[in-house]
Amino acid sequence: MLLYKVFFGLGYLLAGYALARSPIAKRWFGRRLEYEPCVFLLVSRLFVFCLIYYVAGFAPRSDVLSYFRESEKFLNQFPERWNFSHAYGPAFLAVTSLPLAVVRDPKILILLSVAFETIGFSLWLKVGRRWFGDETTRIAALAYLANPFGAFHVAVLGQNRVWLSPFLAGATWWLGRRPFLSGLSFGLSLVVVSFFPLPFVPVFLVAALNAGPWLAGAALPTLAACLTPQVRELFTGQWRFHSGDLSSGNLPFLLTATGLDVSPGRAWLLGLAIGLALLVPWVRQWRTLREGTRERPVV
């Protein structure tokens, strides 16, 4: 598998070099970005998907199989039982079950991740043009399109972390204009995907000129989802999962980067203390920025 990843990365590196020297790249550098990068992203992801799963004949693996198994349980037992214990947002299985209701194949979940990535990519292009201009956004778009890590984790593994992209892009886009809508987009990411965006909350609160509406928007999806005891149990289960030392994505494991051996019970407290300490210089910097520009460092 490791050798397979090496060849995949080399192939994407050569493709990126060819793209940088192609007339397509020169045309992108010569005018305003529109829809071409999104079309290229979608076509390239579908090409990799078909090459791996239909030409080479590989079978889906990694996390997408667990998404598939849990979504099948959800489909088979809904609505009699729907509060399945999992490490994702309470609406995650409802979203994954929609395409599986039509096609019972784990590969359809990979295509769902490709769809989320394409939507998020188009929104981030708008965010980039707004704060960094066309030239910088073109460079970033080309770098992303030539990145083998994104292609592998989305078009091959179907990782659900890319689902966060459109929600976070929406939260960033609305941050300086409509803080309530910004918070609402952020809150939906917690309900639909997972708790992964939680470390960004202090950054958004500092960058938002009015933190009250942002907090209200972010809390609305969570509070609405917690109206039933079953969903409340899902949320408490998420806290228990991410505060335990169960996988490389859990908080105690990540905090070992500080050189400390953190017990699961103290993980959230230490993580909060480190986050607040890192936030202090950012707060001082944002206070000196003009109104309407505080959201730029969030990008």
Side-chain angles (χ1 to χ4, degrees):
M1 185 63 181
L2 182 60
L3 186 61
Y4 166 70
K5 291 182 179 180
V6 170
F7 280 114
F8 184 89
L10 289 175
Y12 232 83
L13 180 65
L14 294 175
Y17 178 78
L19 174 64
R21 298 183 63 85
S22 68
I24 298 178
K26 294 178 181 179
R27 186 175 62 177
W28 285 354
F29 276 92
R31 65 182 185 84
R32 180 182 173 88
L33 283 173
E34 295 296 343
Y35 60 87
E36 292 94 340
C38 299
V39 173
F40 188 91
L41 176 77
L42 180 60
V43 172
S44 65
R45 296 302 191 251
L46 292 178
F47 174 79
V48 171
F49 173 81
C50 293
L51 181 66
I52 297 297
Y53 292 113
Y54 290 102
V55 178
F58 286 95
R61 60 180 66 194
S62 189
D63 291 351
V64 73
L65 292 180
S66 65
Y67 308 156
F68 177 71
R69 287 191 293 265
E70 293 174 2
S71 301
E72 274 200 317
K73 293 179 183 177
F74 181 88
L75 281 173
N76 294 334
Q77 301 184 36
F78 183 84
E80 290 80 10
R81 179 172 180 260
W82 53 277
N83 57 328
F84 295 98
S85 177
H86 55 78
Y88 317 113
F92 178 78
L93 293 183
V95 176
T96 56
S97 298
L98 291 176
L100 287 176
V102 181
V103 180
R104 290 291 184 100
D105 189 331
K107 291 193 287 290
I108 196 69
L109 298 179
I110 299 176
L111 294 178
L112 184 62
S113 293
V114 171
F116 271 100
E117 183 190 28
T118 304
I119 296 171
F121 183 69
S122 65
L123 294 176
W124 280 116
L125 288 179
K126 293 180 180 294
V127 172
R129 285 200 299 263
R130 179 179 175 185
W131 283 298
F132 299 102
D134 283 345
E135 184 175 356
T136 302
T137 305
R138 278 192 289 268
I139 296 173
L142 286 170
Y144 186 85
L145 292 173
N147 185 357
F149 297 104
F152 188 82
H153 283 280
V154 177
V156 179
L157 298 182
Q159 293 281 352
N160 68 343
R161 290 173 181 82
V162 76
W163 293 24
L164 296 171
S165 179
F167 296 107
L168 295 181
T172 306
W173 173 259
W174 289 111
L175 189 58
R177 299 180 176 183
R178 301 286 188 272
F180 178 81
L181 293 179
S182 172
L184 183 64
S185 181
F186 185 90
L188 286 173
S189 71
L190 304 179
V191 175
V192 175
V193 189
S194 72
F195 280 7
F196 286 125
L198 279 178
F200 300 131
V201 170
V203 179
F204 275 102
L205 285 178
V206 173
L209 298 180
N210 195 340
W214 193 93
L215 274 176
L220 181 61
T222 303
L223 294 177
C226 288
L227 292 177
T228 61
Q230 294 89 344
V231 175
R232 285 200 299 271
E233 176 61 26
L234 282 177
F235 270 110
T236 56
Q238 283 235 338
W239 287 110
R240 288 194 298 269
F241 176 81
H242 288 293
S243 62
D245 193 6
L246 302 175
S247 77
S248 59
N250 294 155
L251 196 54
F253 182 88
L254 295 176
L255 289 176
T256 57
T258 63
L260 302 175
D261 185 12
V262 184
S263 63
R266 300 177 181 177
W268 285 107
L269 183 61
L270 180 60
L272 180 62
I274 294 175
L276 291 176
L278 294 175
L279 196 62
V280 171
W282 286 41
V283 173
R284 292 179 178 176
Q285 180 186 4
W286 267 312
R287 286 179 176 176
T288 65
L289 295 176
R290 294 182 295 102
E291 182 174 338
T293 63
R294 293 188 179 184
E295 64 272 16
R296 178 170 176 166
V298 177
V299 182

